[in-house]
Amino acid sequence: MNAKAENLNFVTINGLLSYGEALVRRPSVEGAELPPAPGPSEDRPKRVLVAMTAIRAFVHDAQKGFADAAAYGNARHQLIQQACGGDDLVFFAAWNQLLAQGELSALMRAPIGATIKPTRRRPVAIVPREHMTPNLAEGRIVLDIGNDQFWLMPKDLSDRTLFLTMRHGVSQVDSKKFRVGRRLKNVLDPERGIPKAEAIGTALARTLGLVGKQLDFLHLHNYLDPKSFVHMVSRSPNTRQLFERVVSILSPDTAKTTQPIVEGALESQDFGWATGIEKTAELEEAAKAFGVDTKTAQRLIKHPLYSYPGGHSFFELYVDLVDGFHHLGQTHQGEVLCLYTHSSTLRALLIFLDPRPFSEAFSEFGAYKEGQDNVVLLTFEHGQLSGYSTAVGLSERERAAREAWKTVEQERRDKVTLHPRQIRRVVALVSGGDFAGAGAALKELRVTGNRLGLEVYFVQHGFLGLANNWIELVTEQNTRGMSNHASSPIGSSRFEDFKDEEVQLAAIHHLKPYMEDGALVVMGGDGSMRGARAIFERFGIQVIGIPGSIDDNIAGTTSLGLQSAVALANQSIESLKATSAAMGSVFFVEVMGAGSGHLALMCAYQARAEGLLVNEHPDPDAYIEEVILGTLKQTLGVQNKSHIIVVAERTPHCHHPVGGVHGLVDYVANRISQWTHLQTRSGSYPLSVATKATILGHTLRGASPTPVDKTMAQHLAYEAIRSLVEQPQEVIGCMLAYRDSGTIQPIPLHALAPKPFDWELFARMHGTELAL
Ligand code: F6P
């Protein structure tokens, strides 16, 4: 988010000072703990200039990072004390003036404690009702997350923390109309707030399976005991009231004796002297101070880095919360924490859980409203938070989602500037993890593009190449032999710096000359499609996506590269099966897919592997014990029988910190050595058993393209060019999806979703799909 790009040039030091002073002068609001009013000062404008220099240095140093939120908070506090002489108004004006000049943006990327978003998260095990089998659900915590979906996790929480995070509903001072925040102790509205709090309690009880039965046919045991839950509130009475209502529903017997803990990470934002002010009055006051209309003034106040006079910004709340939640996770392992908090907490959590960088995710959840999700479920395991948010009233959520979709889809169409038959040039790149089929798609883009009179350009190494201006015109000669090329003939890259606005601006600067009557084709996986979406939405680049990733993890399409990766894995797995059958050994075969197990499932299913360990599994340790060891106990020693277990890279388990195949060979060998039926007795000599690991890893990304991938690639590329020429309105800002039926259809980039794991196939592979 670029403050300059958002046009904050109406902001001046004098305007900020007179606005801040006006807020300080307002009559105090009942019940609000406002910061002490600063004394009169003649030379504030001069002191602001000095403070700006210190804040610039602070932003610069912040790039080196802060160990945690407290270190960041202390450094910021020092700025107010030392560089601003303890004068909150001087700080307010200096900070926000720099914000308006675009000089604070780098803060949003500074590594502060746990706020650095993980590049990959373990997928949460979410299973739709129709795929739920006794095998999956039994012995697990099952959370009903609504919409006929269930979140599964191990019943043993010993090295995990489960957070049930709720926000209070409607309070007496309505946060829709007033700035409330941590300085105003608010209470629930007796008429609407109390019933809403009870509705949240009832919804949570349903999620936990305490009322009604989630899945009758499974006769599930409930492993969560609400009596053992730890409850935490903020200092505001409304969160305590919410706690009281919820706990009276979750555990009526102990409700009276249960006490909550007051937890700092659950506080809402500090609005300083704006606390208690009506939002319309706040805007009018700001508009007066800056000499603009209220809509313009709102641009400043809505910015996530805008610091309230005497308070802080949403960004600071986010830092405290993300770090605070990680700390709670570390210090409460094995516990279920019920957290009663404010809507800003839920908003900050959604922003953190979203894979995009802070500024982009903030724009997405900026309009987070009452009536949306009221409960966010999170787990903390292996040092990481994973989560899922859910609404109390699903119909309301669905309606909100539909409304949001309509608006965003209209915005997409409004951003399409190309008219039918106007396009003259196409620029193509491959981004993210490479995949087979990229060559065939590129060749088809060149062939069909040229045939329809377009110039075709390729960018070397994806978005990195854009930033470096590695863009070249392509001729027939350049694409000879390309369709059978393994991986990407024009390179690819993972380019984390592309999240940086300045880097994006450089890339756009290089791209712009080609974009006059032109379009960009981005080939890659989910991350690349996010990059494509960002430059379409921010800079209006006319972009179209083609799915390519061995992970095949985008819903509604098959991605290029999957088929070829499976074909290559098949060759290795069949070789391993042969040697396994001959020698009686056990092979753990690791394939890629730390973020999604589709590839592993495809490999294991077609090879009729004995087992499959994936990141999506709710309980990998239990799977190792029950399924892997259980199966091997039966199959080891059988003559000419192969033993293959497919493992997705980095699946976490307790036998090695890195997960995946690591640690499994020794652990399983040790367990097998204790099985008496495999031990030599007099007159009986069982087959000796060895356990081995093979990591196929990146070989799969560099697989030669199979005919299926080449055909799909050509279809997709042909359709990209054809539709860019004939119906740009339908495909720009979209990814072309290759449906199972073989048809190709656009999906708007903003509507892309992760592909759900195919639990039905997983169950069928284990023979547990039918509830007999
Ligand atoms: O491109 C997807 C993928 O191959 C995943 O399957 C895998 O987890 C990851 O990339 C490996 O990434 P890297 O390029 O960092 O080795």
Side-chain angles (χ1 to χ4, degrees), residues 120 431-435 494 525-526 548-553 591-596 599 649-650 697-698 701:
R120 287 191 196 90
S431 151
D434 51 332
F435 54 90
R494 294 199 194 281
D526 54 346
S549 162
I550 64 165
D551 285 352
D552 189 34
N553 56 352
V591 297
M592 296 207 115
S596 63
L599 170 69
E649 176 196 6
R650 276 187 267 168
H698 292 81
R701 287 228 299 254

Side-chain angles (χ1 to χ4, degrees), residues 656-727:
H656 197 280
V658 173
V661 292
H662 304 276
L664 291 183
V665 168
D666 290 345
Y667 174 69
V668 171
N670 185 11
R671 290 293 303 275
I672 292 171
S673 68
Q674 293 158 17
W675 294 345
T676 46
H677 72 286
L678 294 177
Q679 285 163 9
T680 310
R681 290 186 304 273
S682 86
S684 146
Y685 307 96
L687 274 167
S688 66
V689 178
T691 53
K692 314 267 178 187
T694 303
I695 299 180
L696 299 182
H698 292 81
T699 60
L700 305 182
R701 287 228 299 254
S704 289
T706 58
V708 174
D709 259 333
K710 288 196 284 187
T711 307
M712 267 172 56
Q714 284 171 207
H715 283 333
L716 283 163
Y718 175 85
E719 187 54 22
I721 297 287
R722 189 203 64 76
S723 49
L724 282 171
V725 172
E726 291 189 344
Q727 301 157 298

